[in-house]
Amino acid sequence: MMQYEKDGNAIYAESFATIRREADLSRFDADTAQVVVRMIHACGQVDLAADVAHTPGLVTAAREALNAGAPILTDANMVASGVTRARLPKDNEVLCALRDPAVPALAKELGTTRSAAALELWRDKLEGSVVAIGNAPTALFHLLEMIAAGAPKPAAIIGIPVGFVGAVESKVALAESNLGLDWIVVHGRRGGSAITAAALNALATEQEIMR
Amino acid sequence: MMQYEKDGNAIYAESFATIRREADLSRFDADTAQVVVRMIHACGQVDLAADVAHTPGLVTAAREALNAGAPILTDANMVASGVTRARLPKDNEVLCALRDPAVPALAKELGTTRSAAALELWRDKLEGSVVAIGNAPTALFHLLEMIAAGAPKPAAIIGIPVGFVGAVESKVALAESNLGLDWIVVHGRRGGSAITAAALNALATEQEIMR
């Protein structure tokens, strides 16, 4: 007979307490720390905290946007799938355009990946949105190019693409962009849809545990 | 003007080459190495290889099951969302029962989490299936309890739950289960839906790059 904790709320509470005991969150204000705790929860690694960078206004900007009903725009269907709809303050739209039938031709035309091309389909929703890039470095690069060329600005950008080609560089490009953006990144190769969805879920509501 | 690789196939090829150059894959046969490479690709960390353990027959068992049309059963909607349908050899069913309306009452009745209770809804599909636990340690514990109590055996179990309460222990329990199962785990707290979906996508087809 295996003995293990079976109470969902107790598991959440003990998990978050363990993270707060082990992770070095001293660099973060209380609101940001709550977001970082949830990101750590999604990957199981407390050292993630050291790689997080963000603008001072990120949490406030994202929360105000979501409370005002802003859409969440993401490059990855897994991120969209990972957003807990019950946490969203305004039943906000969660949009990934990757499977839109227009995307393959658009990618060919623009000479880029489908993940990057899919962002063009968001153009009219960018203003004041919360953008979450949780997979493709090319999508984050393309977003920065669109904004630098005059596209409307999102209220907040969660930049956590993952991998071995462009991930490091795309997150540095966001952090050094000087476009007047609010953003949070996980520097390095580490990232991905689970950490990104966790950041969104933390930004969506201050309530840590919801069952 | 930012310079970065925009060709999807080139990005995949360079990523996999980097992983094979940096990761210690010497413990793995060629088929398993291909799976581990893809798992590393999903998290951006080559040291993941050191935490991977598996039975010798895992890859063959999973591939034979999928080629025979076995369903993929998972505890997490994000895992289901991350399975690339075009890679599946038999348009295999991908099932996560977490949002089934029966689950909350079942969880209460069984005194466990919804993630664990949802597995009860798979019972008649377990025989010869490919089970992927990519989120909840309680789901992996519950699966082992069901099988130990006589439930049909899956052909292969991908055990990569994540987190701070039970994740370590549930993966050790699978590895030490002696139930005649084929399995692969990522020992430790690390895991999650992205790594789990990547393992499934690698097992679904030997083709590394598909566009």
Side-chain angles (χ1 to χ4, degrees):
Chain A
M1 199 60 194
M2 292 177 285
Q3 290 297 320
Y4 60 95
E5 181 59 71
K6 296 178 184 179
D7 180 86
N9 285 354
I11 293 170
Y12 269 111
E14 190 181 328
S15 298
F16 293 145
T18 302
I19 294 167
R20 286 182 183 278
R21 199 165 52 238
E22 294 187 19
D24 180 1
L25 303 170
S26 56
R27 288 192 296 127
F28 304 110
D29 61 63
D31 282 342
T32 309
Q34 200 174 29
V35 176
V36 176
V37 164
R38 212 164 186 102
M39 291 162 66
I40 290 171
H41 183 245
C43 67
Q45 301 182 294
V46 295
D47 74 297
L48 187 84
D51 293 338
V52 175
H54 65 98
T55 53
L58 179 274
V59 176
T60 302
R63 289 200 166 142
E64 283 181 1
L66 293 171
N67 285 331
I72 293 171
L73 311 177
T74 179
D75 66 323
N77 285 296
M78 282 186 79
V79 173
S81 169
V83 174
T84 304
R85 298 312 194 266
R87 297 180 66 89
L88 296 174
K90 286 283 160 66
D91 196 19
N92 309 247
E93 183 184 13
V94 182
L95 179 66
C96 173
L98 189 57
R99 289 186 190 136
D100 189 289
V103 167
L106 199 57
K108 211 163 186 179
E109 185 192 322
L110 297 172
T112 189
T113 65
R114 291 186 295 202
S115 294
L119 273 65
E120 291 293 336
L121 304 180
W122 299 344
R123 206 173 259 275
D124 65 341
K125 304 198 178 206
L126 269 180
E127 178 89 52
S129 67
V130 174
V131 172
I133 305 295
N135 183 40
T138 52
L140 183 49
F141 277 126
H142 193 77
L143 177 69
L144 293 173
E145 288 170 340
M146 286 170 71
I147 296 169
K153 284 185 196 169
I157 299 174
I158 299 166
I160 316 184
V162 59
F164 297 84
V165 176
V168 171
E169 297 80 358
S170 68
K171 291 179 278 194
V172 168
L174 172 58
E176 297 181 350
S177 57
N178 280 318
L179 294 166
L181 302 166
D182 270 311
W183 49 263
I184 184 167
V185 301
V186 174
H187 278 302
R189 291 166 165 180
R190 186 161 43 174
S193 49
I195 301 170
T196 306
L200 284 170
N201 286 329
L203 291 166
T205 172
E206 292 176 55
Q207 220 179 309
E208 285 210 321
I209 297 171
M210 293 184 79
R211 298 287 291 194
Chain B
M1 199 60 194
M2 293 177 286
Q3 291 297 321
Y4 60 95
E5 181 58 71
K6 296 177 185 178
D7 179 87
N9 285 353
I11 293 169
Y12 269 111
E14 190 181 328
S15 297
F16 293 146
T18 301
I19 294 167
R20 287 183 183 277
R21 201 165 51 238
E22 294 187 19
D24 180 2
L25 303 170
S26 55
R27 288 192 296 126
F28 305 110
D29 62 64
D31 282 342
T32 309
Q34 201 174 30
V35 176
V36 176
V37 164
R38 214 167 183 99
M39 291 162 66
I40 290 171
H41 183 244
C43 68
Q45 301 183 296
V46 295
D47 74 295
L48 187 84
D51 293 338
V52 174
H54 65 98
T55 54
L58 178 275
V59 176
T60 301
R63 289 202 165 141
E64 283 181 1
L66 293 172
N67 285 330
I72 293 171
L73 311 176
T74 179
D75 66 324
N77 286 296
M78 282 187 79
V79 173
S81 169
V83 174
T84 305
R85 298 312 194 265
R87 297 181 67 89
L88 296 174
K90 287 283 160 63
D91 197 19
N92 308 247
E93 183 184 12
V94 181
L95 179 66
C96 173
L98 190 57
R99 290 187 189 135
D100 189 290
V103 167
L106 198 57
K108 209 163 187 180
E109 186 192 322
L110 297 172
T112 189
T113 65
R114 292 186 296 202
S115 294
L119 273 64
E120 292 292 335
L121 304 180
W122 298 343
R123 206 175 257 276
D124 64 342
K125 303 198 178 206
L126 268 180
E127 178 90 51
S129 67
V130 174
V131 172
I133 305 296
N135 183 41
T138 52
L140 183 50
F141 278 126
H142 194 77
L143 176 69
L144 294 173
E145 289 170 340
M146 286 170 72
I147 296 169
K153 284 186 197 169
I157 299 174
I158 300 166
I160 316 184
V162 59
F164 297 85
V165 177
V168 171
E169 296 81 358
S170 68
K171 292 180 277 195
V172 169
L174 171 58
E176 297 180 349
S177 56
N178 279 319
L179 295 166
L181 302 166
D182 271 311
W183 49 263
I184 184 167
V185 301
V186 174
H187 278 304
R189 290 166 165 179
R190 185 162 45 174
S193 50
I195 301 170
T196 307
L200 284 170
N201 286 329
L203 291 166
T205 172
E206 293 177 54
Q207 220 177 310
E208 285 210 320
I209 297 170
M210 292 185 79
R211 295 287 288 192

